[in-house]
Amino acid sequence: MQKIKIGIVGGTGYTGVELLRLLAHHPHVELHAITSRTEAGVPVAQMFPSLRGAVDLKFSDPASGILEECDVVFFATPHGVAMAQAPALLNKGIRVIDLGADFRLQDTAVFEKWYKLPHSCADVLKSAVYGLPELNREAVRQAKLIGNPGCYPTTMQLGFYPLLKNNLVDASALIADCKSGVSGAGRKAEVATLFSESSDSMKAYGVSGHRHTPETVEQLSKMTTQAVHLIFTPHLIPMIRGMHSTLYAKLLPEAQSMSNEDLQQLFEMTYASEPFVDVMPFGSHPETRSTRASNMLRMALHRHGDTVIVLVVQDNLVKGAAGQAVQNMNVMFGFAETAGIDMLPVMP
Amino acid sequence: MQKIKIGIVGGTGYTGVELLRLLAHHPHVELHAITSRTEAGVPVAQMFPSLRGAVDLKFSDPASGILEECDVVFFATPHGVAMAQAPALLNKGIRVIDLGADFRLQDTAVFEKWYKLPHSCADVLKSAVYGLPELNREAVRQAKLIGNPGCYPTTMQLGFYPLLKNNLVDASALIADCKSGVSGAGRKAEVATLFSESSDSMKAYGVSGHRHTPETVEQLSKMTTQAVHLIFTPHLIPMIRGMHSTLYAKLLPEAQSMSNEDLQQLFEMTYASEPFVDVMPFGSHPETRSTRASNMLRMALHRHGDTVIVLVVQDNLVKGAAGQAVQNMNVMFGFAETAGIDMLPVMP
Amino acid sequence: MQKIKIGIVGGTGYTGVELLRLLAHHPHVELHAITSRTEAGVPVAQMFPSLRGAVDLKFSDPASGILEECDVVFFATPHGVAMAQAPALLNKGIRVIDLGADFRLQDTAVFEKWYKLPHSCADVLKSAVYGLPELNREAVRQAKLIGNPGCYPTTMQLGFYPLLKNNLVDASALIADCKSGVSGAGRKAEVATLFSESSDSMKAYGVSGHRHTPETVEQLSKMTTQAVHLIFTPHLIPMIRGMHSTLYAKLLPEAQSMSNEDLQQLFEMTYASEPFVDVMPFGSHPETRSTRASNMLRMALHRHGDTVIVLVVQDNLVKGAAGQAVQNMNVMFGFAETAGIDMLPVMP
Amino acid sequence: MQKIKIGIVGGTGYTGVELLRLLAHHPHVELHAITSRTEAGVPVAQMFPSLRGAVDLKFSDPASGILEECDVVFFATPHGVAMAQAPALLNKGIRVIDLGADFRLQDTAVFEKWYKLPHSCADVLKSAVYGLPELNREAVRQAKLIGNPGCYPTTMQLGFYPLLKNNLVDASALIADCKSGVSGAGRKAEVATLFSESSDSMKAYGVSGHRHTPETVEQLSKMTTQAVHLIFTPHLIPMIRGMHSTLYAKLLPEAQSMSNEDLQQLFEMTYASEPFVDVMPFGSHPETRSTRASNMLRMALHRHGDTVIVLVVQDNLVKGAAGQAVQNMNVMFGFAETAGIDMLPVMP
């Protein structure tokens, strides 16, 4: 099989370097270009010594046109960048996977409210597919443009999905108490995420409003006829990678007779054929490290009376970002869905 | 003022050594005895070099009778120990502060269910005072025997109290999503709390049932005429000290017209004169490190529609254990309530 | 190519589970047996959820004879175990790779002094090959029995080798100031390696004498005609994986005219064809994380007058243990040396 | 006793906030002013919630003249700032303690080489006293201007002092392999010290040359008639606070007959009356956490043949910076040397 050519825009952040780690050994791809205006000419492995001997690329100037030689371009950039550059690439028949927020929200008014930026290509946006393969595989297969989900939204959607889809819980009273490792904040020089600030301590943040709420609500709303109301409380945890979402949902009266076994079976059947979703035995306590550096997401059910608690863990940089993007690429190009992303979690 | 004599049973764990740190410089006390059967004769500072030059005591054999020379004895022991030894001390007029669970629950049936141990002194238990000074100061002042609260229950009670006391929220739908540093698991040789197991990872635990639930429910029930139902979900976080409780409560219909300012004012007034409770501005995100190594507990309010979210942080070993025990001692003996425990948090 | 059958003795520790991670996806092997007396019958993935879906084995009773069905058996056990069981396996033509200390030291008197245990199979020991492929590849290729090097010794040998081999430094004045992540202490329930004990702190240990000194001295002595004297100072660092050795050696008078470029070239040429040794540019500061979860060892040179400083980093569980063991197996069986162990380091 | 008035320039960094923690409860001082051009008007406790309720000051504009109302002004600023502002304050009779580098090096040529900045007040510099009270107490007592030592130099000087002072070791072959927590890098927004960059990893840095070398050599040279040559290798360790220096020195031929007991006794006697230097038993392994958040420095001796190894630990922000500055202030003003800085280390 001929290898496809990969371009990456914004390879100096954590999702960018994680894409490099995953794609450098992917059997069906060839890293062709990685762009950075500020680092043009610098060998990637000079910035990231972990890639010495494995990635020979240098950063290219985005203006060089090299991205147009690719089959697919990943944007691992702050919002606004993909929006500006994707249309031209799409016009040339190049597929685009945006790991940022530009193509996640179909409602541009909502986008503009949360991202303080007018959406510059609403028409292109309409063709974008929300890239959560487990819930959206067929659309991903046909897609030219993917809006890759946020890290938190991935856990919330996969955790609530079996409950909402089957109309078992009150969609107006969902609570997601979520915890993320610090790499989720990106590789930006900021005081708040210095080691001495965020180590040996934790806090909630964005409790009054976080950009992942509208994205999640838009998607959850597709699963149910009920109106969705979600309370989403993110917390910053002193670990590099890892995300733990603790989801609370109230069973509707007609579902309260379901046994724990019924619920467990429902979840297991929903994800039975998914290579990257692991439903653990009822009452388990998944650890984030059981997914570290892998594309696996694990979940487990608990119950208190009429409240179902779903514990969901993933690596925020893999299933929550770069791994999911590669999974989407695999589906789009007809590769084995696990190609290049079947590495086992690193433990300890 | 003459100094009172202190005895500590079980000084080899984290709450024990924290008591030593706090009491070694307390202006009104003298460390008189610290017992450990296995370490008798060993200088305390040999086991804990942080105390070299500050604590000259050696561990004593508990059978030596030295505890009977004390004015007050702290039990920093697993459950069952205080129950066995406290009655004899109390009979001799010595006051007892138990940092374990033996004297926290008045309902012995509940105690026996959760601790798998018959309660051996139900009569003495009746005289025990639950040592949360902010809610129980007068009783503490008169007490001979204190059941010092658990770490999680301290945060849940102080966070929910203004809401329940004023009958503002639905007591049957309380959720406490709580996160604790690893020192809460104690200084026991166990695989699960090894550095390589609990670092750079997190998990929930005891979601199906944790001993701090019955204790908290018993106390919350005193605040309200409603029946209390609490979902309590503890999580283990890779930090040494620190506890963050994220509390969710639903406003009752008659309280839904309250403004955020009304709620904020209620909390501020409730704790206005408390030296160790800090109500931060509405919408704040307290960090656990803002209480590190100090007896301060901080909280902040948020709101989503009819749901009030209270974020509460403390150092689990200080306000959640040893510091609160010293605070109780100060109240019992008429010392300034802040004596010996007014150290500022360590930041960074 | 037919797959060889793998047996692992002692799969419940960190080197054992790391072997499983590496071998589960190795293209030329099949995991056949993993033994544990205490865990017999338990699925491996129940103890290590990171392996769910990837490893279906259960722990076997070592007495079941299942190891005799294997082509190669790895011992990831405390010292003494391999010594007792290896001879019988070797007699049946099964190759043995011991990750413990039983077959590292040829001098049994030294072994017995440091391990407080008589060596029970001195004859078999004579046939053991010290498994550092970079320095010993031909012998490894022929070996039936491998003593896999300790983690510290790997860094010290590879770092000092070009200097000693070429007789450039005073072998009687070598200093190795080494730092290890906590996983090096193993997966044993011990107070000293609890999260709350070894996090946010560091210390030296074994400064007066450590078992890796005699092993290293025995090997360094083969590189030079000088008498070797080594000061080895290990430190425990609050990180899960990772080892950083800071090596100091004094140039002999006849070598003091060498330029930095000469030294650099010597190191680069020495390791030019090694897939797992990376000589970074002169004056670099390698980070341990640039090797995290990979089999790569990186080093860089510095110089102060007549003192050469070599900075060496590796993942103590991979190149320092399980990865090196698989590398040895690859060499022994004629597989590509990088087969199954070419995963890229995890960053961040 | 009347309280003296304190001014702090540069209170937004870690040494600044640590000064606030120590001085807020100091019995003989009153916090009068803390300046920051960028934060003028902002309450200090808003930036550092750990100080809520304890420090009521707001940041002042340095141009306001408020510093001239103080008795002593601390500079917790980057180099260059104290140099510019100290002379005017000194002229008004205000004492100055500079926690930066401006007044540490008497040789301005060396200063200019390492700090790339001309020294603007060489005359004032001559009156500056190097503020290491253990070695320089009388001069500190008389001083108007203190150059507070760097963190690494404090450990190296106190560790080597008994050996050099008594001419026991070869001063031309000193090695200091030092390890620092990340707070030593300050509270600046930089990628290299982000949590996700410096957690679970370590590295050496500045091996080819670090500013603390000339400072240390200048001071060590005062202890001996030998020419001093020091190899200083700093490393960055994933802990917030803490410094561990591993010092290697070679006994001179005439000293090689000294027993370990002789050496131990020498160290113990040297520091017998020092409140903040603890010589632990021979062969101990001090942990950095045994000094966490306290002004104590601990050391222990080891020996390999003719090489003496001194292990030294301290909290880099306390004895290595702010605590030592307060200790200097105590000596200058005739307060008890331990006033305000006698807090016990925080363990765990």
Side-chain angles (χ1 to χ4, degrees):
Chain A
M1 193 188 298
Q2 209 191 329
K3 294 189 172 191
I4 61 171
K5 289 186 181 170
I6 304 284
I8 299 176
V9 182
T12 63
Y14 291 139
T15 51
V17 66
E18 187 69 350
L19 280 172
L20 290 170
R21 179 175 77 96
L22 300 175
L23 293 171
H25 282 188
H26 191 292
H28 307 311
V29 313
E30 176 199 320
L31 287 173
H32 185 69
I34 173 161
T35 65
S36 164
R37 202 172 302 124
T38 54
E39 305 291 337
V42 175
V44 171
Q46 183 173 313
M47 176 170 282
F48 299 117
S50 59
L51 299 174
R52 281 173 60 89
V55 174
D56 291 333
L57 279 182
K58 295 182 181 182
F59 288 106
S60 304
D61 189 313
S64 68
I66 194 170
L67 293 173
E68 303 181 1
E69 302 166 5
C70 297
D71 296 293
V72 59
V73 172
F74 292 87
F75 284 86
T77 47
H79 57 275
V81 177
M83 206 158 66
Q85 301 181 19
L89 293 168
L90 290 166
N91 273 342
K92 294 203 184 326
I94 299 164
R95 293 189 226 189
V96 169
I97 300 175
D98 178 26
L99 285 79
D102 293 5
F103 299 106
R104 290 176 187 161
L105 285 162
Q106 283 298 333
D107 186 331
T108 54
V110 172
F111 177 87
E112 292 173 9
K113 173 183 167 199
W114 287 89
Y115 292 90
K116 315 290 177 205
L117 196 73
H119 203 292
S120 64
C121 53
D123 49 334
V124 168
L125 173 62
K126 281 194 197 109
S127 74
V129 169
Y130 189 76
L132 192 52
E134 287 78 6
L135 305 187
N136 221 12
R137 190 167 279 116
E138 282 318 304
V140 171
R141 213 183 294 283
Q142 313 296 332
K144 305 299 180 203
L145 169 60
I146 293 281
N148 205 58
C151 48
Y152 288 119
T154 296
T155 61
M156 292 189 273
Q157 290 170 65
L158 293 176
F160 281 131
Y161 173 70
L163 298 170
L164 287 175
K165 181 70 181 173
N166 295 286
N167 215 36
L168 303 180
V169 297
D170 180 356
S172 76
L174 303 174
I175 294 179
D177 192 285
C178 300
K179 299 90 177 172
S180 175
V182 183
S183 64
R187 195 166 166 272
K188 293 182 299 287
E190 287 183 332
V191 168
T193 48
L194 290 178
F195 180 89
S196 302
E197 298 287 314
S198 53
S199 173
D200 209 43
S201 183
M202 68 159 290
K203 64 174 177 185
Y205 66 99
V207 176
S208 301
H210 186 284
R211 291 164 172 177
H212 284 178
T213 302
E215 173 187 342
T216 307
V217 169
E218 187 173 302
Q219 296 300 324
L220 295 183
S221 297
K222 295 180 186 169
M223 303 175 190
T224 174
T225 54
Q226 300 178 59
V228 170
H229 186 257
L230 169 71
I231 295 179
F232 164 51
T233 317
H235 299 76
L236 190 69
I237 303 294
M239 52 190 186
I240 299 176
R241 292 160 177 255
M243 177 163 284
H244 187 295
S245 292
T246 310
L247 311 179
Y248 301 87
K250 195 117 187 167
L251 289 169
L252 290 169
E254 54 271 33
Q256 293 174 5
S257 60
M258 286 185 76
S259 68
N260 295 347
E261 290 70 25
D262 293 340
L263 286 167
Q264 177 71 13
Q265 196 181 9
L266 171 67
F267 273 71
E268 289 185 2
M269 285 178 57
T270 302
Y271 296 119
S273 59
E274 290 299 335
F276 295 121
V277 179
D278 175 26
V279 179
M280 297 178 72
F282 191 93
S284 297
H285 297 102
E287 300 179 281
T288 60
R289 65 174 183 155
S290 73
T291 64
R292 187 191 286 144
S294 90
N295 199 49
M296 190 64 68
L297 174 149
R298 301 189 200 275
M299 62 175 72
L301 293 173
H302 290 254
R303 183 166 177 184
H304 273 281
D306 297 334
T307 300
V308 178
I309 304 177
V310 191
L311 309 177
V312 188
V313 299
Q314 70 175 5
D315 184 317
N316 56 301
L317 293 181
V318 194
K319 183 60 179 166
Q324 181 136 277
V326 175
Q327 187 181 352
N328 279 314
M329 178 195 77
N330 286 343
V331 174
M332 290 165 88
F333 285 86
F335 305 143
E337 193 161 332
T338 59
I341 46 174
D342 61 347
M343 48 276 286
L344 293 180
V346 175
M347 207 300 291
Chain B
M1 192 189 299
Q2 207 190 332
K3 294 189 172 191
I4 62 169
K5 288 187 182 168
I6 304 284
I8 298 176
V9 182
T12 64
Y14 291 138
T15 51
V17 66
E18 187 69 351
L19 279 173
L20 290 169
R21 179 175 78 96
L22 301 174
L23 293 170
H25 283 188
H26 192 292
H28 306 312
V29 314
E30 176 199 321
L31 287 173
H32 186 68
I34 173 161
T35 66
S36 165
R37 202 172 302 123
T38 54
E39 305 292 335
V42 175
V44 171
Q46 181 173 313
M47 175 170 283
F48 299 117
S50 60
L51 299 174
R52 282 173 59 91
V55 173
D56 290 332
L57 278 182
K58 295 182 181 181
F59 288 105
S60 304
D61 189 313
S64 68
I66 193 171
L67 293 173
E68 303 182 1
E69 301 165 5
C70 297
D71 295 293
V72 57
V73 172
F74 293 86
F75 284 85
T77 47
H79 57 274
V81 177
M83 206 158 66
Q85 301 181 20
L89 293 167
L90 290 165
N91 273 343
K92 293 203 184 325
I94 299 164
R95 294 189 226 189
V96 169
I97 300 176
D98 178 26
L99 284 80
D102 293 4
F103 299 106
R104 291 174 186 163
L105 285 162
Q106 284 298 332
D107 186 331
T108 54
V110 172
F111 177 86
E112 292 172 9
K113 174 183 165 198
W114 286 90
Y115 292 90
K116 315 291 177 204
L117 197 71
H119 203 293
S120 65
C121 53
D123 49 334
V124 169
L125 172 63
K126 282 196 197 108
S127 74
V129 170
Y130 189 76
L132 191 53
E134 287 78 5
L135 305 187
N136 221 12
R137 189 168 279 113
E138 281 319 303
V140 171
R141 212 183 296 284
Q142 313 296 330
K144 305 299 181 205
L145 169 61
I146 293 281
N148 206 57
C151 48
Y152 288 118
T154 295
T155 62
M156 292 189 272
Q157 290 171 65
L158 293 176
F160 281 131
Y161 173 71
L163 297 171
L164 287 176
K165 181 69 182 173
N166 296 285
N167 214 36
L168 303 180
V169 296
D170 179 355
S172 76
L174 303 174
I175 294 179
D177 193 284
C178 300
K179 299 90 177 172
S180 175
V182 183
S183 65
R187 194 167 167 272
K188 293 182 298 288
E190 286 183 333
V191 168
T193 48
L194 290 178
F195 180 88
S196 301
E197 299 287 313
S198 54
S199 174
D200 209 42
S201 184
M202 68 159 290
K203 64 175 177 185
Y205 66 100
V207 176
S208 301
H210 185 285
R211 290 164 172 177
H212 284 177
T213 301
E215 173 187 342
T216 307
V217 170
E218 186 173 303
Q219 296 299 325
L220 295 182
S221 297
K222 294 181 186 169
M223 304 176 189
T224 174
T225 54
Q226 300 177 59
V228 170
H229 185 258
L230 169 71
I231 294 178
F232 164 50
T233 317
H235 299 76
L236 190 70
I237 303 294
M239 53 190 186
I240 300 176
R241 293 159 176 255
M243 177 164 282
H244 186 294
S245 293
T246 310
L247 310 180
Y248 301 87
K250 194 118 189 167
L251 288 169
L252 290 169
E254 55 270 32
Q256 292 174 6
S257 61
M258 286 185 76
S259 68
N260 295 346
E261 290 70 25
D262 293 340
L263 286 167
Q264 177 71 12
Q265 196 180 11
L266 170 67
F267 273 70
E268 289 185 3
M269 285 178 57
T270 302
Y271 296 119
S273 58
E274 289 299 336
F276 295 121
V277 179
D278 175 26
V279 179
M280 297 177 72
F282 191 92
S284 298
H285 297 102
E287 300 179 281
T288 59
R289 65 175 184 154
S290 73
T291 64
R292 186 190 287 142
S294 90
N295 199 48
M296 189 64 69
L297 175 148
R298 301 189 200 275
M299 63 175 73
L301 292 173
H302 290 254
R303 182 165 177 187
H304 274 281
D306 298 335
T307 300
V308 178
I309 303 176
V310 191
L311 308 177
V312 188
V313 298
Q314 69 175 5
D315 184 317
N316 56 301
L317 293 181
V318 194
K319 184 59 177 166
Q324 181 135 278
V326 175
Q327 186 181 353
N328 278 315
M329 178 195 79
N330 285 342
V331 174
M332 290 165 88
F333 284 87
F335 304 144
E337 192 160 331
T338 60
I341 45 174
D342 61 347
M343 47 277 286
L344 292 179
V346 174
M347 208 299 292
Chain C
M1 192 189 297
Q2 208 190 330
K3 294 189 171 191
I4 61 170
K5 289 187 181 169
I6 304 284
I8 298 175
V9 182
T12 63
Y14 291 138
T15 52
V17 66
E18 186 69 351
L19 279 172
L20 290 169
R21 179 175 77 95
L22 301 175
L23 293 170
H25 282 187
H26 191 293
H28 306 312
V29 313
E30 177 200 319
L31 287 173
H32 186 69
I34 174 161
T35 66
S36 165
R37 202 171 303 124
T38 54
E39 305 291 337
V42 175
V44 170
Q46 183 174 313
M47 175 170 283
F48 299 116
S50 60
L51 299 174
R52 282 173 60 90
V55 174
D56 290 333
L57 279 181
K58 294 182 181 183
F59 288 106
S60 303
D61 190 312
S64 67
I66 194 171
L67 293 173
E68 303 182 0
E69 302 166 5
C70 296
D71 296 294
V72 59
V73 171
F74 292 86
F75 283 86
T77 47
H79 56 276
V81 177
M83 206 158 67
Q85 301 181 19
L89 293 168
L90 289 166
N91 274 342
K92 294 203 184 325
I94 300 163
R95 294 189 226 189
V96 169
I97 300 175
D98 178 26
L99 285 80
D102 292 5
F103 299 106
R104 290 175 186 162
L105 285 162
Q106 283 298 333
D107 186 331
T108 53
V110 172
F111 177 86
E112 291 173 10
K113 174 183 166 199
W114 286 89
Y115 292 90
K116 315 289 178 208
L117 196 71
H119 203 292
S120 64
C121 52
D123 48 335
V124 169
L125 173 62
K126 281 193 197 110
S127 74
V129 169
Y130 189 76
L132 192 53
E134 287 78 6
L135 305 186
N136 221 12
R137 189 168 280 114
E138 282 318 303
V140 171
R141 211 183 296 284
Q142 312 296 331
K144 306 298 181 205
L145 169 60
I146 293 281
N148 205 57
C151 48
Y152 288 119
T154 296
T155 62
M156 292 189 272
Q157 289 171 65
L158 293 176
F160 281 132
Y161 173 71
L163 298 170
L164 287 175
K165 182 70 181 174
N166 295 285
N167 214 36
L168 303 180
V169 296
D170 179 355
S172 76
L174 303 174
I175 294 179
D177 193 284
C178 300
K179 299 89 177 169
S180 175
V182 183
S183 64
R187 195 166 167 273
K188 293 182 298 288
E190 287 183 333
V191 168
T193 48
L194 290 178
F195 180 89
S196 301
E197 298 287 314
S198 53
S199 174
D200 209 43
S201 183
M202 67 160 290
K203 64 174 177 184
Y205 67 100
V207 176
S208 301
H210 185 285
R211 290 164 172 177
H212 284 177
T213 302
E215 173 187 342
T216 307
V217 169
E218 187 173 303
Q219 297 300 324
L220 295 183
S221 297
K222 295 180 187 168
M223 304 175 189
T224 174
T225 54
Q226 299 179 59
V228 170
H229 186 258
L230 169 72
I231 295 178
F232 164 50
T233 318
H235 300 76
L236 190 69
I237 302 294
M239 53 191 185
I240 298 177
R241 292 159 175 254
M243 176 162 283
H244 186 294
S245 291
T246 310
L247 310 180
Y248 301 88
K250 195 117 189 168
L251 288 169
L252 290 169
E254 54 270 32
Q256 293 174 5
S257 61
M258 286 185 75
S259 69
N260 294 347
E261 290 69 26
D262 293 339
L263 286 167
Q264 177 71 13
Q265 197 181 9
L266 171 67
F267 273 70
E268 289 186 3
M269 284 178 57
T270 302
Y271 295 119
S273 59
E274 289 301 335
F276 295 120
V277 179
D278 175 26
V279 179
M280 298 177 72
F282 191 92
S284 297
H285 298 102
E287 300 178 281
T288 60
R289 65 175 183 155
S290 73
T291 64
R292 186 191 287 142
S294 89
N295 199 48
M296 190 64 68
L297 175 148
R298 302 189 200 274
M299 62 176 71
L301 293 173
H302 290 254
R303 184 167 176 184
H304 273 282
D306 298 335
T307 300
V308 178
I309 304 177
V310 191
L311 309 178
V312 188
V313 298
Q314 71 176 4
D315 184 317
N316 57 301
L317 292 182
V318 194
K319 184 60 178 165
Q324 181 136 276
V326 175
Q327 187 181 353
N328 280 314
M329 178 196 77
N330 286 342
V331 175
M332 290 165 88
F333 284 88
F335 305 143
E337 193 161 331
T338 58
I341 46 175
D342 61 347
M343 48 277 286
L344 293 180
V346 175
M347 206 300 290
Chain D
M1 192 189 298
Q2 208 190 332
K3 294 189 172 192
I4 62 170
K5 288 186 181 170
I6 304 285
I8 299 175
V9 182
T12 64
Y14 291 139
T15 51
V17 67
E18 187 69 350
L19 279 173
L20 289 169
R21 180 175 76 96
L22 301 175
L23 292 170
H25 283 187
H26 191 292
H28 307 312
V29 313
E30 175 199 321
L31 286 173
H32 185 68
I34 173 161
T35 66
S36 163
R37 201 172 302 123
T38 54
E39 306 292 336
V42 175
V44 171
Q46 181 173 314
M47 175 170 283
F48 300 116
S50 59
L51 299 175
R52 281 174 60 91
V55 174
D56 291 332
L57 279 181
K58 295 182 181 182
F59 288 105
S60 303
D61 189 313
S64 67
I66 194 171
L67 293 174
E68 303 182 0
E69 302 165 5
C70 297
D71 296 292
V72 58
V73 172
F74 292 87
F75 284 85
T77 49
H79 57 275
V81 177
M83 207 158 66
Q85 301 181 20
L89 293 168
L90 290 166
N91 274 342
K92 294 203 182 329
I94 299 164
R95 293 189 227 189
V96 169
I97 300 176
D98 178 25
L99 285 78
D102 293 4
F103 300 105
R104 290 174 186 163
L105 285 161
Q106 283 298 332
D107 186 331
T108 54
V110 172
F111 177 87
E112 291 172 10
K113 174 183 165 200
W114 286 88
Y115 292 91
K116 315 292 177 204
L117 197 72
H119 202 291
S120 65
C121 54
D123 49 334
V124 169
L125 173 62
K126 283 196 196 106
S127 74
V129 169
Y130 188 76
L132 191 53
E134 287 78 6
L135 305 187
N136 221 12
R137 189 168 281 113
E138 281 319 303
V140 171
R141 212 183 296 284
Q142 313 295 332
K144 305 296 182 210
L145 169 60
I146 293 281
N148 206 57
C151 48
Y152 288 118
T154 296
T155 60
M156 292 189 273
Q157 290 171 66
L158 293 176
F160 281 131
Y161 173 70
L163 298 171
L164 287 176
K165 181 69 181 174
N166 295 285
N167 214 37
L168 303 180
V169 296
D170 180 355
S172 76
L174 303 175
I175 294 179
D177 193 284
C178 300
K179 298 90 177 172
S180 174
V182 183
S183 65
R187 194 166 167 273
K188 293 182 298 287
E190 287 183 333
V191 168
T193 48
L194 290 178
F195 180 89
S196 300
E197 299 286 315
S198 54
S199 173
D200 209 43
S201 183
M202 69 159 290
K203 64 175 177 185
Y205 67 99
V207 176
S208 300
H210 185 286
R211 290 163 172 178
H212 283 177
T213 302
E215 174 187 342
T216 307
V217 169
E218 187 173 303
Q219 297 301 323
L220 295 183
S221 297
K222 295 181 185 167
M223 303 175 190
T224 173
T225 54
Q226 300 179 59
V228 170
H229 186 256
L230 168 71
I231 294 178
F232 164 50
T233 316
H235 299 75
L236 190 69
I237 303 293
M239 53 190 186
I240 300 176
R241 293 159 175 253
M243 177 163 283
H244 186 294
S245 292
T246 309
L247 311 179
Y248 300 88
K250 195 116 188 166
L251 289 169
L252 290 168
E254 54 270 32
Q256 292 173 6
S257 61
M258 287 185 75
S259 68
N260 295 345
E261 289 69 26
D262 293 340
L263 285 167
Q264 177 70 13
Q265 196 180 11
L266 170 68
F267 272 71
E268 289 185 3
M269 285 178 56
T270 302
Y271 295 120
S273 58
E274 289 300 335
F276 294 121
V277 179
D278 175 26
V279 178
M280 298 178 71
F282 190 92
S284 297
H285 297 103
E287 300 178 281
T288 59
R289 65 175 183 154
S290 73
T291 64
R292 186 189 288 143
S294 90
N295 199 49
M296 190 64 68
L297 174 149
R298 302 189 200 275
M299 61 175 73
L301 293 173
H302 291 254
R303 184 166 177 186
H304 274 280
D306 297 335
T307 300
V308 178
I309 303 176
V310 191
L311 309 177
V312 188
V313 299
Q314 70 175 4
D315 185 316
N316 56 301
L317 293 181
V318 193
K319 183 60 178 165
Q324 182 135 277
V326 175
Q327 187 182 352
N328 279 314
M329 178 195 79
N330 286 342
V331 175
M332 290 165 88
F333 284 88
F335 305 143
E337 193 161 329
T338 59
I341 45 174
D342 60 348
M343 47 277 286
L344 292 180
V346 174
M347 208 300 291

